[in-house]
């Protein structure tokens, strides 16, 4: 008769990042009987079935001769944070277990990006002046936030710098500094800062605007009326 043995019967992937793969685990199937074992179908079921991936369905399919072992691979693709569970069911003609179940479990974490503020209006800015403002990036998630790039689409009227590392650990913050630089442009000048990362929101945009004016000469005279009071004809020394 054909008899099946599966090892392990429980796979815990531990802590993984939401959506992340490359956490492959092996599951060995052995025919411990004296006749050929026919492996028919296998499936992953449960609320979090999509969090686990049967890497290659052609592995461990068909017939296992007595004492033969094959190895199948399961990887992760966690759908949400916290605990994810599912059941791997292996169907065969084994007399000891026509359907054998393997429990799958993982605990997923994810980076969560918060950018504030999401817009800024510099108001009226003379072209001979430079004014700056800061934007803060915070990782409010439970795993590292990887910032791939911080891009500015208008480098004629603005310049950008930042204190952000490539990896922002949970609860950490960094700053993006934007400067409305001296320019010859006039009128309304807009720009966008785009922040790309592996967070729950992969792209965050910040909108900025200013109205640029050329400097003009302006005069002020004070006082505009001078009364010398009573003086003697031809006499000086009444300076105001």
């Amino acid at each position: 008769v054909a008899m099946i043995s599966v090892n392990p019967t429980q796979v815990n992937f531990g802590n993984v990042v939401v959506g992340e793969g490359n956490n492959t685990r092996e599951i060995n199937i052995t025919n411990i009987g004296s006749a050929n074992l026919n492996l028919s179908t296998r499936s992953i079921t449960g609320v979090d079935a999509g969090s686990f991936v049967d890497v290659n369905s052609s592995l461990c399919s068909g017939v296992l001769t007595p004492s033969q072992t094959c190895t199948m691979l399961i990887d992760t693709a966690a759908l949400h944070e916290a605990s994810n569970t599912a059941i791997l069911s292996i169907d065969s003609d084994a007399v000891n277990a026509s359907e054998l179940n393997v429990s799958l479990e993982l605990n997923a974490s994810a980076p969560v990006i918060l950018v504030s503020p999401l817009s800024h209006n510099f108001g009226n800015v003379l072209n001979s002046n430079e004014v700056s403002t800061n934007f803060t990036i915070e990782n409010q998630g439970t795993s590292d936030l990887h910032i791939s790039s911080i891009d500015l689409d208008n480098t004629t009227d603005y310049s950008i710098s930042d204190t952000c590392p490539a990896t922002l650990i949970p609860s950490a913050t960094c700053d993006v500094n934007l400067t409305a630089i001296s320019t010859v442009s006039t009128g309304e000048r807009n720009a966008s800062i785009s922040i790309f990362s592996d967070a729950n929101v992969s792209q965050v945009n910040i909108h900025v605007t200013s109205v640029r004016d050329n400097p003009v000469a302006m005069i002020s005279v004070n006082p505009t009326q001078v009364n010398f009071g009573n003086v003697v004809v031809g006499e000086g020394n009444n300076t105001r």
Side-chain angles (χ1 to χ4, degrees):
V1 293
M3 299 182 67
I4 190 171
S5 172
V6 175
N7 183 45
T9 56
Q10 180 176 4
V11 180
N12 190 331
F13 291 85
N15 296 319
V16 304
V17 176
V18 170
E20 185 178 88
N22 298 319
N23 299 296
T24 305
R25 298 290 188 274
E26 294 183 349
I27 297 175
N28 294 312
I29 303 174
T30 302
N31 180 2
I32 58 173
S34 56
N36 286 347
L37 172 67
N38 294 293
L39 300 172
S40 51
T41 62
R42 63 175 183 257
S43 59
I44 298 175
T45 58
V47 175
D48 303 319
S51 294
F52 304 90
V53 179
D54 187 344
V55 174
N56 188 338
S57 60
S58 66
L59 296 175
C60 287
S61 62
V63 177
L64 288 182
T65 60
S67 299
Q68 184 180 2
T69 296
C70 67
T71 300
M72 62 173 295
L73 304 174
I74 298 293
D75 203 355
T76 62
L79 297 176
H80 59 82
E81 289 187 83
S83 177
N84 290 242
T85 60
I87 296 294
L88 167 66
S89 298
I90 303 170
D91 296 330
S92 70
D93 62 354
V95 296
N96 60 328
S98 60
E99 180 180 279
L100 198 150
N101 294 327
V102 178
S103 63
L104 307 174
E105 183 178 358
L106 61 80
N107 188 63
S109 60
V112 177
I113 190 170
L114 175 68
V115 179
S116 62
L118 288 174
S119 64
H120 183 75
N121 189 338
F122 285 101
N124 293 322
V125 180
L126 292 178
N127 281 339
S128 57
N129 294 342
E130 292 191 349
V131 291
S132 298
T133 191
N134 282 335
F135 304 92
T136 299
I137 301 174
E138 180 180 0
N139 180 5
Q140 292 191 324
T142 53
S143 64
D144 290 348
L145 170 68
H146 300 100
I147 300 173
S148 53
S149 67
I150 301 175
D151 301 330
L152 174 66
D153 69 354
N154 179 354
T155 56
T156 300
D157 303 303
Y158 301 94
S159 66
I160 194 173
S161 63
D162 66 81
T163 63
C164 297
T167 301
L168 199 62
I169 63 175
S171 300
T173 63
C174 64
D175 292 322
V176 177
N177 178 269
L178 182 75
T179 300
I181 60 177
S182 178
T183 179
V184 296
S185 305
T186 58
E188 184 175 296
R189 313 305 297 172
N190 298 315
S192 289
I193 302 171
S194 297
I195 302 166
F196 297 91
S197 72
D198 63 350
N200 54 323
V201 179
S202 61
Q203 178 179 346
V204 178
N205 296 319
I206 302 171
H207 179 70
V208 295
T209 187
S210 63
V211 177
R212 313 308 287 272
D213 294 317
N214 288 320
V216 293
M218 299 180 70
I219 190 171
S220 174
V221 178
N222 184 44
T224 56
Q225 181 177 3
V226 181
N227 189 335
F228 287 87
N230 296 320
V231 300
V232 175
V233 172
E235 187 179 79
N237 296 321
N238 297 294
T239 305
R240 298 289 190 275

